[in-house]
Amino acid sequence: MVKKYTIAFLLICVTSLFANEVQMQTIDVNASIDTEVVENIHGEDVKSADLAEALFKQSPSISIVRRSGIANDIIVRGQKKDNINITIDGVKLYGACPNRMDPPISHVLTNNIDYIKINEGPYNVEDSGVLSADVKIHTLKPKKEFHGDTNIGLGGWGYQKEAALLTGGTDRVRFLISGSVEASKQYKDGNGNDFAEQIQREIDARRVISSVQYQNKYKNLSTYNKKTLMTKLFWDIANNQELRLSHTQNRSDDVLYPSSKMDALYDNSDIYNIEYKAKGLGPYSKELYFQLYRSSVEHPMSTKYRKMAIIKGEITHKLNTQVDGIKLKHTLEVGKHTITVGANHTLRNWDGGYYKNGNPFPSGKFHSIWDTNTKNIGLFVSDTINLNKLILDFGLRYDDTLVTSENLYQQHNNYNEVNGYINGTYHIDDTLKVFAGLGKSSRVPDAKELYWYGSKGNEIGTPTLNNVVNYEFDLAVEKQWDSSIMKLKAFYSKLNNFIAYNDNSLNGMNLPYHAYENTDAVIYGFELSGTHVASETLYVDYGLAYQRGKKKNPLFGQSGTNMPEISPLKFNATTHYDWDDTFSFETELIVSAPWNKYDEENGEQKLLSYSIINIKAIKILTNFELTIGIDNILDTTYAVSNTYKDMILLPTVAPNNTIMLMNEPGRYIYTNLKIPILGLFP
């Protein structure tokens, strides 16, 4: 590993030798101390549509849950799934798969993103379910000037992508159309193993059964084929009123998930969004905002490509989910106060069932999730008080949530909670500011955790679960110098009724099997990040994050107290070098400590440390922009995702209970050519 660090630092030193006079990188000193803004997703991560992987590279506090070559999930501050609130242009979207093959973050592509705001902690009252973080994804907006470009991307393992964008309009009406087609074969890890070969490794070691292997005719199947289309229309009805209409389609076919025993036949999603804004309606009115949206996902997964389909017949698990949402809020300014009051309502429907060779299976009990509805009504108010050097924020939210199932034998659950926060940022001087916050937030169990049935008709969900409540305290300090800025954040989160997975089968216990259990826990940690401008041509971004989590008591029938999904110490550093206005070069280093603290009784295992080096160069050639990059330049074999059994991974061979690890991609070379669309309009 010392050699890897040495190579990384040599690359940094080499770039610093080529100092030239160009515009110095600007440090954003006005950014909120408790919020991370990621603005380079659209331009920087041109090689893949996978947003989770892009965020993993850019933020030390974000870890990835690797399931495939695409459609991966994220962990923020040791929490994932519904403990993270994710919105796309304000739209709530959930995946249909109970095994997280289609997490919300997978339904937006990097080439359609303008910027992302990550607000860690329970400091958002406009949405329900904000525990560890609030991730707000903002997609590209139409512009008045006519502009268009096409991107052609090629990479290792047969990766290819074609994308195009066109935007333009008038002073009153603007439009945007963005589309893409993307596909890739199975990537290979640092050992040169593709998906089928990684599975064979586990079979040869007698860790998984042989029937989970891909059939010979499918062993070389592409890992995914993806098509997207995003259309937007912005209309300035009056000088102070705007109407926004948008529709986003995602269509993915044949997405392979080698560490699971099923693959997705397809994964289709639609997002319809209507937004209305009116500003300056009165002497105190700053903005009136109304939103109406619908998001839907359809996701059938199947054993079609595996050997078990020949042995036992093809099992398909078909699921769909839909969210209808409405939000109304009004922001007004009174003296030093900026006050927002509002209400929102969401209705999520989730339904799924099992089929064997196209017929409902098992007979009479084929539902995995029996047409459930989660209905939420929320009222909220927030107030920002600007007292010159001190900015205070207050927020209060009331939630009334009802979760019901069509199954008459499953109980209905009603949850009521009052949440809120208070935080403040104090500017000691022009170069130093501190932040402190105290908040409470909650989220209700989802239909899988409450009502899920397995393919054998066995009840796995726990219908008596309580909602999770998070009490959190945050501290942060930010210091600016002439050529650098540094931020240190720390948090302590006390979780009441955290919903944990309990794998009683590991202890050989003969108990009624309900997989989910409420338990009290704590998670705490810190993050150090910053930017240093070494010269007018060279600057460095860096970040370091650490979390630790403990259950107050072991789960029923267990003895361990380590929290699951608590990623180890992680360090990110990126050097940016600008030769001139036409050429730039980046070197990226990602380092992780070994994963030594893990929830062994519920499937997790020790992961080794790793260090990864990525490089990228961008050259502007007249009217073209060429990007060439190499990820994992040393071809390291490593794994980022642990094997927590809240997801169904490959079945183990008794008595060996070690779950299959999914290795990350090995050395990957890619290129992208961006071509402006010229001469189409006068």
Side-chain angles (χ1 to χ4, degrees), residues 555-607:
L555 301 182
F556 184 77
Q558 298 186 358
S559 59
T561 57
N562 285 332
M563 282 284 282
E565 304 287 3
I566 306 296
S567 305
L569 182 74
K570 179 188 168 196
F571 174 73
N572 292 47
T574 304
T575 63
H576 308 260
Y577 169 66
D578 296 319
W579 175 271
D580 54 28
D581 292 337
T582 68
F583 179 75
S584 62
F585 182 80
E586 287 187 6
T587 303
E588 186 175 59
L589 174 68
I590 305 174
V591 179
S592 173
W595 199 323
N596 289 325
K597 303 289 186 180
Y598 51 92
D599 189 355
E600 183 176 10
E601 289 174 292
N602 295 299
E604 290 191 330
Q605 56 188 288
K606 181 176 180 177
L607 301 186

Side-chain angles (χ1 to χ4, degrees), residues 377-664:
I377 298 175
L379 305 173
F380 58 88
V381 59
S382 63
D383 185 10
T384 299
I385 309 172
N386 192 334
L387 302 172
N388 295 323
K389 288 190 173 184
L390 176 63
I391 298 176
L392 292 175
D393 279 305
F394 301 87
L396 195 65
R397 179 181 178 88
Y398 171 75
D399 281 296
D400 185 355
T401 307
L402 178 65
V403 188
T404 62
S405 170
E406 187 184 55
N407 188 340
L408 298 178
Y409 296 99
Q410 293 178 322
Q411 70 179 53
H412 296 176
N413 290 273
N414 188 237
Y415 303 94
N416 297 278
E417 201 73 53
V418 176
N419 298 308
Y421 66 83
I422 175 173
N423 62 48
T425 302
Y426 182 70
H427 294 252
I428 297 175
D429 55 36
D430 291 340
T431 67
L432 181 63
K433 55 185 176 181
V434 295
F435 168 88
L438 181 65
K440 176 198 172 191
S441 59
S442 64
R443 73 99 169 166
V444 303
D446 69 15
K448 175 190 175 182
E449 295 163 334
L450 290 169
Y451 304 134
W452 184 29
Y453 278 87
S455 59
K456 297 179 181 179
N458 53 317
E459 186 176 12
I460 299 175
T462 307
T464 57
L465 290 173
N466 295 317
N467 61 322
V468 187
V469 179
N470 176 36
Y471 298 92
E472 183 168 319
F473 178 62
D474 289 76
L475 283 174
V477 58
E478 183 177 288
K479 174 65 177 176
Q480 180 196 357
W481 293 270
D482 290 340
S483 59
S484 62
I485 188 168
M486 180 183 292
K487 183 188 299 184
L488 176 64
K489 298 190 290 186
F491 74 97
Y492 182 89
S493 173
K494 182 178 181 295
L495 295 164
N496 289 354
N497 295 317
F498 178 82
I499 299 174
Y501 181 88
N502 187 338
D503 188 35
N504 286 326
S505 62
L506 280 176
N507 294 312
M509 303 185 70
N510 185 20
L511 298 170
Y513 191 66
H514 292 283
Y516 296 95
E517 179 180 331
N518 287 122
T519 186
D520 294 340
V522 297
I523 301 177
Y524 55 89
F526 71 89
E527 179 184 332
L528 176 68
S529 61
T531 298
H532 175 67
V533 180
S535 70
E536 292 183 336
T537 60
L538 180 68
Y539 67 97
V540 181
D541 291 324
Y542 61 88
L544 177 74
Y546 172 81
Q547 303 92 35
R548 184 78 175 94
K550 298 285 288 185
K551 304 165 191 166
K552 182 178 180 181
N553 297 300
L555 301 182
F556 184 77
Q558 298 186 358
S559 59
T561 57
N562 285 332
M563 282 284 282
E565 304 287 3
I566 306 296
S567 305
L569 182 74
K570 179 188 168 196
F571 174 73
N572 292 47
T574 304
T575 63
H576 308 260
Y577 169 66
D578 296 319
W579 175 271
D580 54 28
D581 292 337
T582 68
F583 179 75
S584 62
F585 182 80
E586 287 187 6
T587 303
E588 186 175 59
L589 174 68
I590 305 174
V591 179
S592 173
W595 199 323
N596 289 325
K597 303 289 186 180
Y598 51 92
D599 189 355
E600 183 176 10
E601 289 174 292
N602 295 299
E604 290 191 330
Q605 56 188 288
K606 181 176 180 177
L607 301 186
L608 300 177
S609 62
Y610 62 84
S611 57
I612 305 302
I613 300 172
N614 307 320
I615 60 173
K616 178 172 63 176
I618 301 175
K619 175 66 177 179
I620 298 176
L621 303 165
T622 312
N623 292 321
F624 304 92
E625 182 178 296
L626 177 65
T627 301
I628 300 176
I630 307 176
D631 282 358
N632 192 1
I633 192 171
L634 300 178
D635 206 17
T636 301
T637 302
Y638 68 108
V640 170
S641 302
N642 217 310
T643 47
Y644 186 41
K645 281 192 173 181
D646 68 329
M647 294 186 300
I648 298 176
L649 301 175
L650 285 185
T652 57
V653 177
N656 190 331
N657 283 301
T658 301
I659 312 301
M660 174 182 168
L661 281 173
M662 180 76 177
N663 283 340
E664 293 293 300

Side-chain angles (χ1 to χ4, degrees), residues 139-144 167-168 170-176 232-246 273-281 286-292:
T139 59
L140 296 170
K141 297 178 178 62
K143 297 180 179 180
K144 182 179 69 173
T167 184
T170 66
D171 290 336
R172 289 288 190 186
V173 181
R174 302 169 300 282
F175 74 91
L176 181 146
K232 290 189 174 186
L233 180 68
F234 285 15
W235 176 24
D236 291 341
I237 303 171
N239 291 334
N240 65 336
Q241 298 180 57
E242 183 182 36
L243 179 66
R244 298 181 174 184
L245 308 174
S246 66
N273 193 17
I274 301 173
E275 298 175 273
Y276 169 79
K277 295 182 179 182
K279 298 181 179 180
L281 297 178
K286 183 179 181 181
E287 182 180 273
L288 176 68
Y289 176 83
F290 173 78
Q291 182 180 35
L292 181 67

Side-chain angles (χ1 to χ4, degrees), residues 227-286:
K227 299 177 181 179
T228 71
L229 178 65
M230 182 175 75
T231 58
K232 290 189 174 186
L233 180 68
F234 285 15
W235 176 24
D236 291 341
I237 303 171
N239 291 334
N240 65 336
Q241 298 180 57
E242 183 182 36
L243 179 66
R244 298 181 174 184
L245 308 174
S246 66
H247 176 217
T248 302
Q249 290 182 339
N250 286 279
R251 301 291 185 265
S252 301
D253 295 316
D254 300 323
V255 186
L256 303 187
Y257 296 89
S259 61
S260 297
K261 56 185 178 181
M262 287 184 166
D263 306 286
L265 299 178
Y266 60 87
D267 187 68
N268 295 342
S269 68
D270 288 274
I271 302 173
Y272 301 90
N273 193 17
I274 301 173
E275 298 175 273
Y276 169 79
K277 295 182 179 182
K279 298 181 179 180
L281 297 178
Y284 301 108
S285 176
K286 183 179 181 181

Side-chain angles (χ1 to χ4, degrees), residues 192-207:
N193 294 327
D194 62 17
F195 289 179
E197 290 166 338
Q198 286 197 52
I199 295 175
Q200 192 62 45
R201 174 198 65 197
E202 301 298 310
I203 294 172
D204 294 342
R206 302 184 64 83
R207 286 192 288 263

